[in-house]
Every structure is written in structure tokens, then in C-alpha cells.
Amino acid sequence: MVLDAPRTALRAAELDPPRPEVGEVLLEVAACGVCRTDLHIVDGELDRPHLPLVPGHQIVARVVEGGERFAPGDRVGVPWLGWTCGECRYCRSGRENLCDRARFTGYDRDGGYAQLAVADERYCFPLPDGYPDIQAAPLLCAGLIGYRTLKLAGDAERIGIYGFGGAAHIVCQVAVHQGRRVFAFTRASDQAGQAFALELGAEWAGDALGPPPEELDAALVFAPAGELVPAALKAVAKGGSVVCGGIHMSDIPALPYELLWGERVLRSVANLTRADGTEFLELAPRVPVKTQVETHPLERAGVALDRLRSGAIRGAAVLVL
Ligand SMILES: [Zn+2]
Ligand SMILES: [Zn+2]
């Protein structure tokens, strides 16, 4: 499925098979998760994709050939981080997620909305056994970047999660496993989302713009709505953090300094490091994280994106090949 230009529908196309270069693997895609970032790319909110583009960066695939790290038939996962330079000040200080020259899967290079894909083998992950392909796909971005977002909240006990989609439904399970208390914030009218959060171990679910039932130690904002930032700052206790987990967000309204005062911290999360991935994929089966997915055949990628845009998806959407 190909994006020719932002704000146009994806097009089913027959492309030449991609060829792996040195250090790359050719992959037969089994499943590819649909991420809100894909939506930001298709909708033109992330504005420098290589075009025409095959989107998709939560790829579960089998190795066909190429590289040295894996054998043909091995199952691997391909995340958003597709390549880094290894030389810049970020790469040299354990922060390859911030690499100046990073290349991202399904953005700078073709991704997994396809039968075949290529990836740099150094950025692929072996996947834990016990997760069928479609259940494993959302671990690769919703899970990984959600986990990094939670880590940046430190040892906060009372965690507010704003927006209860793909990342939140995974992070909620991890946070509860770690003994934290989870409070889920959704649109006031989203009764289904609130019920879903309670099923996954949140102890409270309610209106994101209303008052929290008690002070929070950290808030994780996954919904791309800037107006949630002042609401989340208002909900956290002194010294608490608000961590924004998305790659794009609407403008944050002006806010009184008083909301930040008291050593409250506001920060974003950018991308992932390979260390995040290794750590999270080791942790997920021990929780165990159970992903809720709805599946769509590849050619219905546009339908999956529409459902994500309208908030209709419970958990995560996955394209199956
Ligand atoms: Zn770099
Ligand atoms: Zn993603």
C-alpha cells in the first residue's frame, strides 16, 4: 500500500521486490501494526516522508535472505528506528533515539504495509515466543515507545494515562504489574474506553478535562491533543512529571506558570533506542502483556487508518498479510 502524497488515500500497487543491501535482511511480512504516527504521516502532520512511501513500522516478519545476524525463516520485529549514524553526540552517549541523521521505518524508508520489506538487521528484534504474529505487532511501537514514556515517569506511583489507545492499553498492564496505580483519562463521552481501561487494571477512569480523583505523581499523554497538557499539569502533584508520548500534538495552549511551579516537569519522548526494545520485549512476556487487536487485510489499510482517526479502535489495529 503506497502513499503518493499527504492527504491522499493509500493506493494498492505492485512494486518491484525490494533488494537487501549489505547488512540488510529481506523480509516476508506477516503482520504490521497501524500506529497513530502512520496517521500523522498520511494526514500531512509529519511533513518530510520519502514519497511515494510504503508506511508501517510495527513489522512482524520472517527473514527470507540477507545479513548475517539471522537465518532464513527466523521471526523478527522491525520498529520505527530504522538506522542511526553511530557517530553524532547523541549516538555516542546512549541516545540514538535523538540521532541527528536517524532514518525511520515507514517514513524515511519503506515500511511494512507490504508483502516484502527490507531492514537493517542491526535494528531488528528477535520476538518473544508465545506471541502470535498479530499479537506481537503492537509491541513494536505502541509497546516500545509506550514503555519508554513510562520509564521517563521515573518511580511515580500514581500514574495518569491520557488517551487510552494502542500504547495506553499496553502501558497500563506494565504499570499495574510494577505495582503502580493507574488512572485513565479519556473523552468524557468515551464510556467504552473507560470500561476497557478498568478491565486492564486501571483503578479509575474518567473525563480527561475534569478533576482527577486524587493527585497524580505522573501523567503520560498519548492523545495528540495539546489542551491535555495544562489539564495534566494541573492533575500532577508537586515534583510530578507530564510526559508526552506522541510524535505530533496540536498546539499547547498558553498556561499560567503556576501550573509548572512546584518543580513539575513537562517533557516529550522521542522515538526509541534499541536498548528500550530489548528491555521491553524481555519484560512483556513476564507481565504478561496481552495485546487487544483488530485485524484488517493489507488492502484495507485505509479503513484501519480511518478507524484510528475516529477513535473506534479498542486496543490496536493490525494489518495481516
Ligand atoms: Zn547519530
Ligand atoms: Zn509508531
Side-chain angles (χ1 to χ4, degrees), residues 19-300:
R19 291 231 190 92
E21 294 183 14
V22 175
E24 292 184 336
V25 279
L26 176 65
L27 301 169
E28 182 172 12
V29 180
C32 187
V34 176
C35 177
R36 183 166 290 282
T37 298
D38 302 339
L39 200 53
H40 292 313
I41 294 168
V42 169
D43 289 348
E45 290 156 339
L46 295 180
D47 56 5
R48 53 167 189 84
H50 102 86
L51 294 170
L53 173 74
V54 178
H57 59 268
Q58 304 187 89
I59 307 173
V60 177
R62 303 263 170 336
V63 173
V64 178
E65 62 178 30
E68 295 178 341
R69 185 178 167 202
F70 301 103
D74 283 359
R75 185 170 80 144
V76 298
V78 183
W80 170 244
L81 188 73
W83 185 87
T84 56
C85 78
E87 296 167 354
C88 70
R89 62 168 55 231
Y90 301 108
C91 283
R92 287 188 282 110
S93 58
R95 297 179 293 164
E96 63 183 2
N97 60 306
L98 302 178
C99 174
D100 285 328
R101 293 159 59 202
R103 292 169 61 79
F104 299 106
T105 310
Y107 190 47
D108 300 305
R109 32 191 310 156
D110 281 342
Y113 287 17
Q115 290 159 302
L116 297 171
V118 294
D120 185 318
E121 63 178 351
R122 297 170 298 168
Y123 297 83
C124 298
F125 297 112
L127 292 171
D129 296 332
Y131 282 94
D133 295 340
I134 57 172
Q135 260 74 37
L139 299 178
L140 287 160
C141 188
L144 286 186
I145 295 183
Y147 178 63
R148 185 175 175 86
T149 309
L150 178 63
K151 277 210 305 186
L152 292 183
D155 59 3
E157 185 200 351
R158 297 165 298 179
I159 300 272
I161 299 182
Y162 286 73
F164 213 84
H169 97 285
I170 293 174
V171 169
C172 179
Q173 297 174 58
V174 175
V176 170
H177 169 78
Q178 292 173 334
R180 309 183 199 236
R181 299 168 60 202
V182 175
F183 302 80
F185 296 80
T186 70
R187 284 194 192 96
S189 60
D190 185 8
Q191 308 257 314
Q194 291 167 15
F196 185 39
L198 295 172
E199 275 172 42
L200 291 175
E203 68 175 65
W204 176 91
D207 179 4
L209 296 174
E214 59 184 279
E215 280 189 321
L216 306 172
D217 300 307
L220 317 181
V221 182
F222 292 113
E227 68 266 25
L228 293 175
V229 170
L233 276 170
K234 201 179 282 179
V236 298
K238 285 181 284 190
S241 309
V242 174
V243 189
C244 300
I247 194 169
H248 172 83
M249 186 180 256
S250 58
D251 287 351
I252 298 170
L255 47 90
Y257 180 56
E258 188 190 343
L259 289 184
L260 193 60
W261 175 247
E263 301 196 342
R264 291 174 179 84
V265 174
L266 171 62
R267 71 177 302 172
S268 64
V269 169
N271 314 314
L272 68 139
T273 65
R274 283 171 283 179
D276 294 327
T278 302
E279 193 177 314
F280 173 69
L281 291 170
E282 200 264 322
L283 172 64
R286 289 193 284 117
V287 172
V289 170
K290 294 197 171 72
T291 55
Q292 289 252 354
V293 300
E294 63 171 51
T295 59
H296 298 271
L298 176 63
E299 61 273 19
R300 285 171 56 87

